[in-house]
Amino acid sequence: MRFLKTLCLGAAAAFIAGLPAQAETKLTIATVNNNDMVVMQKLSKDFETKNPDIKLNWVVLEENTLRQRLTTDIATKGGQYDIMTIGLFEAPMWGERNWLTAFDNVPADYKLDDVLKSVRDGLSYNGKLYALPFYAESQMTFYRKDLFDKAGLTMPEQPTWKDIDGFAAKIHDPDHGVYGICLRGKPGWGENIGQITPVANSYGARWFDMEWKPQFDTPAWKEGLTVYVDLLKKYGPPGAASNGYNENLALFASGKCGMWVDATVSAGFLNDPKQSSVVGKLGYAHPPYGKFNKGNHYLWSWALAVPASSKAPDAAKKFIYWATSTDYIKLVADYSGIVTVPPGTRQSTYDNADYIKAAPFAKLTLDTIQTANMTDATQEKVPYRGISFVGIPEFQSIGTAVGQEFAAVIAGKKTVDQGLAAAQSLTQRAMRQAGYPKK
């Protein structure tokens, strides 16, 4: 009897061993090296535990490099990535070209209606959603309340750039390692250009007129760029022309900046005592404006999309639903505190009394996101969509080239007039080669 039992068990084991193993799906995720995405990578073990048949391969890149690689891959149908981290610039254009897989039939438990409409609309084309937001942001003015109190200063709820200049002069203290203001100088259409363009908008500037003629030779552009450059030259940290988002975030978090005008998403990081030395010293205000407050703050979302070239679109969507869900937001809250959850995507985040209590910047974040109008951001009419960018494919290369010119101005290698003249010339040439104005 024992012999027969052993024989049967051996036969069963042999049968099971002969079955094909469950196929493992490998997803390659390309994302930006911002703090929230680094946290996503750490917490993705939760997803892999729940989905043992899916293996995640991460490609984490600096912002400019990420954009270059993703654009090349998707335009050539390279198929290197199953999930791409893109934004409001790429999603509608790539969706229009059928380069992305649409999010049709989103599961009911995902609660798509909870996602803020302005963000959903920005990631859609012709009524179809082509990416889901990991976080969304606008801009705000961060400032050190302790430094303002010491100098007897009061930050208005809505400052002007003239106000900012005056404040920077009074709190600038480089001998003690504190600089009046930090702003992005690093070239890139999503780096310095993404910050300078709203400033220029607020002085009445625009990138193109209705015939697609570049407008850098206008007084409005000169005034806006001069304000930005002068602030960094007088009150910015050394090497400002090389500082992008992550560099300025690190500077502000370590107490080296008196003010910083940048992405609202930074607030959570700056309120995390594990990563920031300025917790409890922070104040928040609306982003500054020059002469007009139209177009003085942008709308952006880092979102997750599935390229049409992915060989595992269903698995990719499964991961994206996880990473952009209310359950993921709870996971982050448990991991590093509710104040650090990805902001700007879901109404339920802002209906959460615990979040509102922990995040004094929450109402301002929501207000700037909801008031940023991507179709009416300039004083004069324009033929394009966008606040901090121009919604045409050519802008990626044009914007970065102009950003290099502006970085040279910030570094003192060119004057404002020289930088604007170069921007005008290179943009004219690029638009002519691209066949604008298009019929």
Side-chain angles (χ1 to χ4, degrees):
M1 188 72 179
R2 184 175 295 174
F3 171 75
L4 286 174
K5 186 176 181 181
T6 303
L7 184 65
C8 290
L9 288 172
F15 173 75
I16 291 170
L19 290 174
Q22 188 175 19
E24 183 179 81
T25 300
K26 181 180 177 183
L27 295 178
T28 299
I29 305 169
T31 194
V32 67
N33 64 341
N34 290 354
N35 182 66
D36 290 82
M37 281 68 175
V38 173
V39 172
M40 174 173 61
Q41 184 180 1
K42 289 179 182 176
L43 297 182
S44 64
K45 291 176 183 176
D46 175 81
F47 176 83
E48 289 184 302
T49 300
K50 293 174 180 174
N51 300 274
D53 57 324
I54 300 175
K55 179 68 176 175
L56 305 178
N57 175 43
W58 292 85
V59 179
V60 183
L61 301 166
E62 182 270 336
E63 185 171 322
N64 289 340
T65 305
L66 174 78
R67 286 175 162 142
Q68 290 167 0
R69 291 197 188 176
L70 295 190
T71 302
T72 300
D73 185 74
I74 202 159
T76 60
K77 298 183 172 68
Q80 291 185 62
Y81 312 108
D82 298 289
I83 296 170
M84 294 180 164
T85 305
I86 62 173
L88 279 74
F89 174 74
E90 299 93 348
M93 287 193 294
W94 292 2
E96 180 184 5
R97 288 162 177 75
N98 297 313
W99 290 353
L100 299 174
T101 300
F103 282 87
D104 298 324
N105 304 314
V106 175
D109 61 359
Y110 180 77
K111 301 174 184 174
L112 184 60
D113 287 344
D114 185 41
V115 178
L116 296 177
K117 187 176 184 299
S118 60
V119 182
R120 272 186 285 144
D121 289 348
L123 296 170
S124 300
Y125 173 74
N126 204 19
K128 283 194 172 185
L129 187 60
Y130 285 98
L132 291 176
F134 182 67
Y135 69 73
E137 65 187 24
S138 184
Q139 289 168 291
M140 67 169 63
T141 302
F142 300 92
Y143 66 98
R144 289 272 301 279
K145 288 195 297 184
D146 57 328
L147 299 181
F148 269 60
D149 290 345
K150 184 178 178 181
L153 303 173
T154 301
M155 174 70 77
E157 183 180 347
Q158 173 60 81
T160 65
W161 282 107
K162 186 176 180 180
D163 292 331
I164 296 297
D165 185 278
F167 296 148
K170 292 182 179 178
I171 61 175
H172 186 58
D173 189 8
D175 290 342
H176 292 91
V178 177
Y179 302 95
I181 191 165
C182 291
L183 298 167
R184 296 194 213 183
K186 186 177 186 177
W189 72 264
E191 286 281 10
N192 61 354
I193 290 300
Q195 303 298 312
I196 293 172
T197 299
V199 180
N201 291 342
S202 79
Y203 282 95
R206 54 182 174 167
W207 270 74
F208 299 99
D209 68 11
M210 291 300 290
E211 282 72 48
W212 290 102
K213 294 177 182 175
Q215 298 295 293
F216 293 108
D217 56 358
T218 60
W221 257 108
K222 182 172 182 178
E223 190 169 10
L225 183 60
T226 298
V227 165
Y228 196 93
V229 171
D230 281 357
L231 276 166
L232 283 175
K233 284 187 173 181
K234 291 188 294 184
Y235 313 119
S242 301
N243 290 342
Y245 172 74
N246 283 320
E247 291 82 3
N248 281 318
L249 178 62
L251 284 168
F252 196 93
S254 61
K256 297 187 184 304
C257 307
M259 292 181 292
W260 182 34
V261 180
D262 211 301
T264 53
V265 71
S266 316
F269 178 92
L270 294 172
N271 277 276
D272 182 356
K274 296 177 184 176
Q275 306 178 83
S276 171
S277 67
V278 294
V279 177
K281 302 175 183 178
L282 291 168
Y284 316 93
H286 280 81
Y289 71 94
K291 295 178 177 177
F292 315 100
N293 58 14
K294 180 193 282 190
N296 73 314
H297 62 285
Y298 61 65
L299 176 64
W300 181 255
S301 171
W302 278 118
L304 302 175
V306 181
S309 56
S310 171
K311 296 179 178 62
D314 291 339
K317 284 186 176 181
K318 195 172 189 178
F319 175 83
I320 292 173
Y321 290 140
W322 171 84
T324 61
S325 67
T326 53
D327 286 343
Y328 178 81
I329 289 173
K330 292 174 186 174
L331 197 64
V332 176
D334 291 340
Y335 171 73
S336 55
I338 195 168
V339 75
T340 68
V341 303
T345 59
R346 289 182 172 271
Q347 184 61 47
S348 56
T349 299
Y350 296 90
D351 292 340
N352 186 331
D354 291 336
Y355 180 69
I356 297 300
K357 182 179 179 181
F361 50 84
K363 184 179 181 299
L364 181 56
T365 295
L366 187 60
D367 182 50
T368 53
I369 286 174
Q370 292 181 324
T371 57
N373 190 339
M374 296 183 66
T375 60
D376 186 21
T378 55
Q379 290 301 304
E380 298 180 85
K381 288 185 178 181
V382 294
Y384 57 85
R385 164 187 168 276
I387 302 172
S388 59
F389 60 80
V390 177
I392 57 173
E394 295 80 8
F395 184 73
Q396 186 155 339
S397 59
I398 293 173
T400 295
V402 172
Q404 290 167 345
E405 295 298 332
F406 290 175
V409 177
I410 293 168
K413 296 177 182 178
K414 289 188 175 184
T415 65
V416 167
D417 286 338
Q418 289 170 336
L420 288 171
Q424 180 77 6
S425 177
L426 72 86
T427 305
Q428 279 179 333
R429 183 169 60 253
M431 295 297 281
R432 187 168 56 248
Q433 291 171 348
Y436 283 83
K438 300 194 176 190
K439 304 299 182 186

